[in-house]
Amino acid sequence: GCRLNGSNYRAWLVLRLHQISKELVELSTRRIRVERANDWQNAFNKHGRGSTFERAAIIAEDIYDRAAPIPDSVPSPERNKFLHEVIDAVDRVMEEIGADLK
């Protein structure tokens, strides 16, 4: 087989990282924009005194915290689902290129 070296390897690696990035952007768009569309609408329907804080709370808690939860020491179904979706996205690219992350 052909071995990659120097600039060829860097170009190959950049392309692979771009593929992973593209998968993660698609995942993020679906989870933050598409799946949370009703929450976005709810946030932007707020008006009047205190609405800025109410809107900010909706965006932080109902949209970002649910769409892209940060894993910590306490597992939750939402955190696990997100983590597994990220793993699946990376695995798809790794499978396409015949690589293994072990």
Side-chain angles (χ1 to χ4, degrees):
C2 162
R3 294 187 61 94
L4 297 172
N5 60 24
S7 63
N8 289 338
Y9 177 74
R10 284 190 291 279
W12 177 87
L13 185 59
V14 166
L15 183 58
R16 301 296 91 61
L17 292 172
H18 175 73
Q19 287 176 279
I20 291 171
S21 176
K22 184 178 173 192
E23 286 282 333
L24 295 177
V25 166
E26 289 172 9
L27 170 66
S28 301
T29 299
R30 178 179 52 78
R31 288 186 59 98
I32 292 171
R33 188 181 303 158
V34 177
E35 292 178 5
R36 309 302 322 164
N38 290 337
D39 294 319
W40 282 107
Q41 187 172 8
N42 181 33
F44 286 100
N45 284 337
K46 302 298 177 193
H47 60 278
R49 185 179 205 102
S51 63
T52 301
F53 298 105
E54 196 174 352
R55 187 178 304 114
I58 292 169
I59 292 169
E61 297 164 12
D62 294 343
I63 297 173
Y64 286 110
D65 285 352
R66 291 183 181 166
I70 298 170
D72 63 15
S73 60
V74 181
S76 75
E78 242 350 272
R79 286 185 187 125
N80 288 342
K81 181 181 178 195
F82 177 63
L83 183 58
H84 286 286
E85 287 186 46
V86 170
I87 291 168
D88 291 344
V90 173
D91 281 347
R92 278 192 299 278
V93 173
M94 293 297 105
E95 188 175 315
E96 277 180 32
I97 65 172
D100 193 8
L101 290 176
K102 291 189 179 179

